[in-house]
Amino acid sequence: MKKIILLAIVATITTIASAQPSAVQKVGRSVFSLTTFRADGSLLASTHGLYVGTNGEAVSSWKPFVGAARATVVDAEGQEHEVEAIYGANELYDVCRFRVEGTSQAAPLAKSNATSGQKTWLLGYSVKKSPAKQYAVESVETFGDKGYGYYIFKGKAAENMADCPFVNQNGEVIGLCELPKSEEVHATDVRFINSFTTNGLSINDNLLTQTSIRVAMPLDLNDARLTLMMAGEKHDSAAYVGYIRDFIRQFPQEIDGYSSRGQLQLYAHDLAGADATMQEAIANVAHKDEAHSAFASLMMQQQFYLPDSTFTAWSLQRALDEANTANSINPQPIYQHQQAQLIYALGDYQKAYDQFIALTKSPIRNGELFYEAAQCRTHLGGTTDEVIELLDSAIAVNPDNNISAPYYLARGRMLDQATQYRKAIQDYNKYDTLMLGRGSHEFYYIKFKAEVQVRQYQQALNDIAHAIILNRQEPTYYAEMGSLQLRVRQFEDAIKTSDMCIQLDSEYSDPYIIKGVAHGELGQRAEALQAFEKAKELGDDRADGMIEKYKK
């Protein structure tokens, strides 16, 4: 009797297996295992997933990616691949769409919802024949404006079937298996998961930032440009390299990806690599003028800020040649501006001046052109009035915009040199306002000196104190502050300031003179003479006169 029952069970199993349509088994080639890892390389989570595109597009659950630094999949051929990027995720349904490196075999997706009572098969992962179990759809709930299906199946599923696909009799995937919380098995419509896409702001999406795996480059060019720009501001060089690679792969005829990669190579002092990148750009981009101009810009940066005598292929003249080529292909004021900047850098100030002035009558008229013309006029020996007139024009374009901040500073310096201190201070104050009080320590020092000239002593003390806060290691600032404190009879403060200066540089004679005078004015002759004697030891010629004055 037992033997007969056993044979009946075997027959039943055989019947179920044979009832499985061949189209269902084909989907097994698209199922894979997924493993995520923490930043230290330790295992975070493991599950399954499904290829839904031919270029590595895939779907799975979201939770395994939370806190992950990287992820890999092993496909039905047993080959391992890296997960490159995330397209999107939904926390409520615990699903996500991502991309794996390389090509893939896409599973066909059902075009409409399955119905109650419909037969489906839950297809597992295997490098051989995928295990399958038949389920009937018990009920379907619809969600979203496109009426996606959320499926409920009666029965249980093994844990190793998590995120495996439910397939209909036509070999089309309807959803991914969600591990049961009761006697039911659930599945989220795979079409919903496959609809996830990125936009220009996805890189800052709070949900997607829960994983360190970068977001996928958007399909729209403008969104992709925004993503590339924002990625460059995140200071994650490894991820940024990936974004650049994705951009070039998606938009090989656009200059943005090449110029971004060239910038990275420049900062890494890989000038040969940057040169090769820009040559690649010239060969591939649709607008050759943009490529030549970007190359010129890269060489300008290198020549101005990162000079390297061992790499002779780049020069200002070669940069000018590239700018000339860009302008010859597509004459544009922006390229002519680049030409003028390079002509200036090469020392032909009159030619550069003429071109800057000509451009002030073009559609790109702006303050920078007048500012650059003012620099040319200075090199050409122009008068103070001529230079200030050009700076007036630079400021007039955007008088209350922070773009004008350097123009106010430049005009203030010219007025300062012309001993027009009050006007200079007005420009310095305007610069300080536009910079939101974030000027350099050198700026607050020159402002201090101008204020001393017109006896604005309290403001001068504030500004030299600001300079000290920004650069606590410069003894001159302490000496200048102590000297002014003497002038306004703040003798005790002058002594404290001098002591701080001496701590920085004990061989600097000025603070000893200042300290000696302050002690002398306070009637502290012994301390004053001691300070003057130290200044005398350091070779300060003023010390003898001070000793004579205060020893009486």
Side-chain angles (χ1 to χ4, degrees):
M1 184 69 177
K2 291 182 179 178
K3 184 176 181 181
I4 294 171
I5 294 172
L6 179 60
L7 289 173
I9 293 172
V10 171
T12 302
I13 294 172
T14 305
T15 301
I16 293 174
S18 62
Q20 177 189 329
S22 60
V24 172
Q25 191 58 224
K26 290 180 180 179
V27 176
R29 298 295 87 195
S30 302
V31 183
F32 54 74
S33 68
L34 169 69
T35 306
T36 60
F37 302 89
R38 299 182 181 86
D40 62 4
S42 61
L43 177 67
L44 176 61
S46 59
T47 186
H48 300 100
L50 179 76
Y51 282 123
V52 291
T54 57
N55 293 309
E57 298 90 347
V59 293
S60 185
S61 57
W62 169 241
K63 285 182 182 177
F65 286 95
V66 176
R70 59 181 286 264
T72 62
V73 306
V74 177
D75 62 25
E77 303 296 327
Q79 300 297 312
E80 184 175 278
H81 308 274
E82 287 285 329
V83 173
E84 290 186 319
I86 305 286
Y87 287 104
N90 183 283
E91 204 167 21
L92 177 62
Y93 290 97
D94 186 26
V95 289
C96 72
R97 180 171 180 254
F98 53 96
R99 188 181 70 243
V100 179
E101 65 178 3
T103 58
S104 53
Q105 182 170 322
L109 308 184
K111 296 179 177 60
S112 60
N113 288 349
T115 57
S116 295
Q118 182 175 334
K119 289 182 180 180
T120 64
W121 286 263
L122 177 57
L123 194 63
Y125 165 74
S126 175
V127 294
K128 296 179 181 179
K129 184 176 180 180
S130 300
K133 181 179 179 180
Q134 185 176 305
Y135 289 80
V137 177
E138 181 171 330
S139 62
V140 184
E141 299 173 2
T142 59
F143 66 94
D145 56 359
K146 294 187 178 181
Y148 294 117
Y150 185 74
Y151 301 103
I152 300 173
F153 304 87
K154 191 70 173 179
K156 294 184 178 181
E159 288 191 7
N160 64 358
M161 300 300 280
D163 300 313
C164 287
F166 279 96
V167 185
N168 64 23
Q169 62 185 7
N170 297 321
E172 299 169 331
V173 178
I174 65 169
L176 293 188
C177 176
E178 178 184 333
L179 281 178
K181 298 177 182 177
S182 60
E183 294 298 312
E184 297 176 340
V185 180
H186 299 175
T188 302
D189 197 326
V190 71
R191 294 173 301 160
F192 169 64
I193 314 171
N194 196 38
S195 70
F196 297 163
T197 58
T198 53
N199 58 45
L201 300 177
S202 295
I203 194 170
N204 285 335
D205 185 293
N206 288 334
L207 180 61
L208 300 185
T209 55
Q210 292 179 30
T211 180
S212 296
I213 299 170
R214 69 181 186 277
V215 302
M217 188 62 65
L219 296 177
D220 178 78
L221 176 58
N222 289 329
D223 278 342
R225 283 173 170 155
L226 179 58
T227 295
L228 190 63
M229 180 191 73
M230 295 175 72
E233 295 172 351
K234 286 185 173 293
H235 307 294
D236 184 343
S237 58
Y240 189 37
V241 169
Y243 284 112
I244 292 171
R245 184 174 60 247
D246 287 352
F247 189 98
I248 293 174
R249 181 166 54 190
Q250 282 184 217
F251 306 102
Q253 292 188 310
E254 300 296 330
I255 186 59
D256 311 71
Y258 301 104
S259 58
S260 297
R261 188 168 71 190
Q263 288 278 0
L264 272 187
Q265 290 166 321
L266 172 62
Y267 297 149
H269 302 284
D270 180 12
L271 301 185
D275 189 273
T277 290
M278 299 315 295
Q279 296 293 351
E280 182 183 351
I282 291 169
N284 292 330
V285 300
H287 301 288
K288 303 299 183 187
D289 54 311
E290 294 180 358
H292 286 287
S293 179
F295 197 4
S297 178
L298 201 64
M299 280 191 278
M300 284 173 65
Q301 291 181 58
Q302 185 269 325
Q303 291 289 300
F304 292 161
Y305 308 116
L306 296 168
D308 185 344
S309 59
T310 65
F311 189 77
T312 58
W314 286 9
S315 66
L316 289 173
Q317 183 58 54
R318 185 178 173 194
L320 179 57
D321 292 342
E322 292 292 335
N324 290 339
T325 301
N327 193 60
S328 67
I329 294 171
N330 182 19
Q332 293 289 331
I334 191 171
Y335 299 150
Q336 292 149 23
H337 184 203
Q338 190 176 55
Q339 287 174 313
Q341 290 176 318
L342 285 160
I343 291 167
Y344 171 85
L346 287 164
D348 191 343
Y349 302 119
Q350 185 61 57
K351 185 176 180 180
Y353 174 82
D354 293 340
Q355 194 151 330
F356 286 132
I357 292 298
L359 287 167
T360 63
K361 302 175 179 63
S362 76
I364 66 166
R365 172 189 170 92
N366 56 53
E368 184 181 5
L369 295 169
F370 288 105
Y371 176 65
E372 290 168 324
Q375 292 177 306
C376 290
R377 180 54 63 195
T378 300
H379 283 290
L380 291 168
T383 66
T384 298
D385 288 343
E386 287 175 331
V387 176
I388 288 177
E389 183 179 357
L390 288 166
L391 293 172
D392 288 342
S393 297
I395 290 169
V397 177
N398 299 104
D400 294 313
N401 191 303
N402 61 357
I403 294 173
S404 294
Y407 314 149
Y408 279 104
L409 179 58
R411 190 174 69 177
R413 295 298 300 268
M414 291 299 298
L415 292 166
D416 200 336
Q417 292 170 20
T419 69
Q420 299 181 45
Y421 300 117
R422 291 190 184 278
K423 288 184 177 180
I425 291 169
Q426 289 178 356
D427 276 354
Y428 290 154
N429 286 335
K430 185 67 174 180
Y431 171 82
D432 198 20
T433 298
L434 292 174
M435 292 294 290
L436 304 177
R438 294 198 294 263
S440 67
H441 61 92
E442 294 93 345
F443 163 70
Y444 290 105
Y445 182 46
I446 63 171
K447 186 168 180 279
F448 154 82
K449 290 194 289 185
E451 288 159 344
V452 169
Q453 291 291 337
V454 295
R455 300 184 179 182
Q456 293 184 7
Y457 295 140
Q458 186 56 57
Q459 186 60 46
L461 284 171
N462 292 342
D463 284 325
I464 195 63
H466 200 159
I468 288 171
I469 289 171
L470 294 174
N471 185 1
R472 298 181 183 274
Q473 303 305 311
E474 178 50 65
T476 302
Y477 295 164
Y478 294 90
E480 291 277 19
M481 187 178 205
S483 178
L484 182 54
Q485 287 167 331
L486 278 184
R487 189 178 298 191
V488 297
R489 303 188 65 78
Q490 296 178 3
F491 301 125
E492 291 180 353
D493 288 340
I495 292 169
K496 293 176 183 177
T497 302
S498 297
D499 285 338
M500 287 188 285
C501 186
I502 291 167
Q503 287 179 358
L504 286 176
D505 186 354
S506 61
E507 301 301 305
Y508 184 21
S509 66
D510 279 14
Y512 294 105
I513 294 292
I514 295 166
K515 184 178 180 180
V517 173
H519 278 301
E521 293 302 310
L522 289 170
Q524 300 166 351
R525 291 187 180 181
E527 292 85 347
L529 293 174
Q530 183 180 6
F532 293 141
E533 288 291 347
K534 181 61 177 179
K536 184 176 180 179
E537 289 178 19
L538 295 172
D540 195 312
D541 295 336
R542 298 169 294 177
D544 285 333
M546 293 296 178
I547 291 170
E548 287 299 318
K549 178 180 178 179
Y550 286 99
K551 75 177 181 180
K552 298 177 182 178

